[in-house]
């Protein structure tokens, strides 16, 4: 049996994403949707990023998890506004979830909002939250096969970060192969390599955020 769809099944989500985007733009808030598989180091990267930006920018975080607020508590110790969203089994955040927590923030005083999405290399890539940029974090212990095996995630992402490069001597991961695979899937995507733990490569990531804010959000 063939079913004809007469209405966009994502219409409500797209409406919410447009609402979010308009609000962020009106308040000149840079919004970065941070995605990865579980254990890639998103929260550690976010902690280290906040530490390096906090003197110049007012930062807030929306933290997405299936359950608990453990990651949110880690970020709150840095003195930044962090709101937890628990999906109770859902594999991604969507624009309606983000819209529901917007009243908990004072966006007139927020320069940068990070949205830490659910750990998953499939679902989060397909949902517009109203963000300015999508960033995916891949850690070297995950192996080189992840980019070709999950092409949709990397095709829809503006920045790919290879994290935990301090482990390169101990695991089988080839940075040149990762760069080559990414360019085949998404020629426009940028690749950045770093270790959130040691700080190696962090300056390039931090400078990218600063440049984007000053050139695109609040020139």
């Amino acid at each position: 049996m063939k079913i004809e769809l007469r209405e966009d099944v994502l219409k409500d989500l797209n409406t919410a994403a447009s609402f979010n985007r308009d609000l962020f733009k009106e308040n000149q808030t840079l919004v970065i949707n941070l995605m990865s598989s579980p254990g890639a180091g998103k929260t550690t990267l976010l902690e280290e990023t906040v530490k390096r930006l906090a003197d110049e920018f007012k930062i807030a975080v929306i933290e997405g998890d299936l359950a608990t607020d453990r990651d949110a508590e880690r970020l709150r110790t840095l003195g930044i506004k962090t709101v937890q969203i628990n999906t109770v089994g859902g594999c991604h955040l969507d624009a309606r979830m983000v819209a529901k927590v917007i009243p908990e923030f004072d966006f007139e005083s927020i320069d940068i909002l990070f949205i830490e999405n659910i750990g998953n290399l499939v679902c989060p890539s397909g949902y517009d939250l109203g963000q300015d940029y999508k960033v995916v974090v891949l850690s070297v212990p995950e192996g080189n096969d992840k980019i070709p095996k999950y092409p949709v995630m990397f095709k829809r992402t503006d920045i790919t970060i290879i994290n935990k490069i301090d482990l390169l001597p101990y695991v089988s991961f080839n940075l040149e192969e990762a760069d080559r695979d990414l360019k085949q899937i998404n020629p426009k995507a940028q690749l950045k390599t770093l270790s959130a733990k040691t700080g190696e490569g962090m300056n390039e990531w931090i400078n990218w955020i600063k440049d984007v804010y000053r050139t695109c959000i609040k020139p």
Side-chain angles (χ1 to χ4, degrees):
M1 181 175 64
K2 185 177 181 180
I3 300 175
E4 183 179 353
L5 295 178
R6 296 181 179 275
E7 211 171 314
D8 183 358
V9 294
L10 296 178
K11 182 178 179 180
D12 289 346
L13 294 179
N14 291 334
T15 299
S18 295
F19 168 82
N20 296 346
R21 184 173 289 103
D22 289 345
L23 184 144
F24 300 147
K25 184 176 181 180
E26 178 183 346
N27 288 280
Q28 295 182 304
T29 301
L30 171 64
V31 182
I32 297 175
N33 179 7
L34 199 60
M35 304 172 289
S36 80
S37 59
K42 289 194 308 299
T43 307
T44 300
L45 174 62
L46 197 46
E47 288 174 316
E48 296 306 314
T49 300
V50 168
K51 291 175 185 177
R52 287 165 169 77
L53 292 173
D55 288 342
E56 296 182 49
F57 301 94
K58 296 177 181 177
I59 301 170
V61 174
I62 293 175
E63 180 64 46
D65 280 300
L66 276 71
T68 81
D69 63 348
R70 293 180 181 181
D71 290 345
E73 284 300 318
R74 287 170 58 180
L75 294 162
R76 288 172 185 145
T77 63
L78 300 178
I80 59 171
K81 175 72 173 181
T82 305
V83 173
Q84 180 71 50
I85 298 177
N86 288 132
T87 62
V88 194
C91 62
H92 61 273
L93 297 179
D94 67 41
R96 288 176 299 190
M97 297 177 188
V98 172
K100 285 180 180 179
V101 301
I102 278 177
E104 299 188 43
F105 294 95
D106 176 13
F107 277 99
E108 291 184 358
S109 62
I110 297 173
D111 299 316
I112 305 173
L113 172 68
F114 291 98
I115 302 175
E116 184 175 354
N117 220 312
I118 309 297
N120 189 323
L121 279 180
V122 182
C123 303
S125 64
Y127 290 83
D128 180 7
L129 308 182
Q131 74 284 311
D132 294 294
Y133 294 94
K134 289 182 178 181
V135 175
V136 62
V137 181
L138 177 68
S139 64
V140 300
E142 294 176 76
N144 276 99
D145 62 337
K146 296 302 179 292
I147 294 176
K149 285 178 68 174
Y150 298 93
V152 175
M153 169 62 81
F154 294 93
K155 185 176 183 178
R156 294 175 174 174
T157 301
D158 302 292
I159 301 285
T160 294
I161 291 176
I162 307 294
N163 189 24
K164 304 185 183 181
I165 60 171
D166 53 301
L167 298 179
L168 281 172
Y170 312 106
V171 298
S172 178
F173 190 93
N174 188 303
L175 290 175
E176 292 181 358
E177 181 181 340
D179 187 31
R180 188 165 57 248
D181 287 339
L182 180 63
K183 287 178 178 176
Q184 288 178 351
I185 294 170
N186 184 355
K188 295 182 179 180
Q190 298 183 49
L191 179 67
K192 300 188 182 301
T193 60
L194 56 82
S195 169
K197 180 179 180 180
T198 68
E200 182 181 358
M202 283 291 294
N203 285 344
E204 184 180 351
W205 162 239
I206 297 300
N207 288 337
W208 176 82
I209 295 172
K210 291 180 179 180
D211 288 345
V212 165
Y213 183 83
R214 290 166 179 163
T215 59
C216 302
I217 304 301
K218 200 169 184 178

